[in-house]
Amino acid sequence: MSAAAVRAMARADELAACSERPGEITRRYGTPALVAARDLLEAWMLEAGLRTRVDRAGNLIGTLGREDRPGIMIGSHFDSVVDAGRYDGTLGVLLAIGCAEELAGADPAHDLAVVAFCDEEGARFPTDYFGSRAFLGGALPDGALTDSEGATLASGIETAGNAAAGPGSGLPANATAYLEAHIEQGPVLEAAGHPLGIVTSITGGVKLTVTLTGTAGHAGTVPMSLRRDAFSAAAEIALEAERAARDDGEAVATVGQVAVSPGAANVIPGRATISIDLRHQDDDRRARLLGRVREIVAEVARRRGVDAGIEMIHDERSVACDPGLGERMRAAARGLGLDPPALPSGAGHDAVILSAHVPVAMLFLRCAGGISHNPAESVTTEDVAAALAVLTAVVRDP
Ligand SMILES: [Zn+2]
């Protein structure tokens, strides 16, 4: 097994100690913990012979400096959700650094840029792929945005960003592709007994906030026939949205947030707000599902005599991964005796943002139980070694 894979695993453990709170992994944007993790990554990049720089948002970029040949960017993110696992995002960055180590002293057919994005999760500020958007030269989001404690994004940028770096795109001039290795965050590869999978597309999704307004009242005195119960309407909408996704067969629908007010056991809810997250690989079928959910909201609200408002929070199209890059990874995996299946990514990744500029491809690693965004995230060194060999071959070979 490659020493670089063993090292990547040890480094994931070391990075896990960079946390806002001891005893767990919480590394949100703009915190000293995030900067500490980046300092470690930068030291390892320098050891691997990469030239490094930090951009204005706080992304870390390491380059091999062989600008005379086509460039491949490999990366992922190093921020985390609250109480995270140690591999989501981080492993992708460590594999990219491992790739640089494996290529040391070789004459690869491609140039390599390792990109470590500072904020993919949006776990602290209400931002959306802030790191990769800023890397590509997009306008920074409003600095007045605040976290749950009232700290501003501007203060986060002051902590994590490099004020001396100009705006401008961080995309290397010779960039031809972006590759991202990531834990699957789902159970498919483990169930099928495959260490690796080739991602076909990153599933698009929409996120809605639905607000139902009825009439609050005494739980003991208002007869059922005269009620306008906002929560009962919300609950019916949630179940109908679930049914609509099941009817499609491939869509997923999730109601993950519910807020009820006034919020007392003996008061009929006058107002209820729910989130609805809808995802489908096929943009047309997702649009149909969205249309169906809008009908459900209107129909339930009418029947129950409540008012309904729908706010679209987020609407992302599906992104197709480059088939040629996928085939190159597959060929490299076959060389290791593996036959990685093709599968979609149900979760969003920085590759979504990069795809507007370069062809993208993703390599999934199986993770125990499909568990992610949880301290129980787990991968094997053998699988990490296989992923590293695949990435290295793609950069090394013409
Ligand atoms: Zn991730």
Side-chain angles (χ1 to χ4, degrees), residues 76-77 79 87-90 120-121 180 182 185 348-349 373:
S76 193
H77 60 97
D79 67 317
Y87 301 111
D88 175 359
T90 314
E120 189 263 358
E121 301 285 5
E180 183 166 351
H182 203 284
Q185 302 182 283
H349 296 285
H373 284 189

Side-chain angles (χ1 to χ4, degrees), residues 149-165:
E149 270 129 41
T152 61
L153 176 61
S155 73
I157 294 174
E158 209 175 294
T159 301
N162 175 10

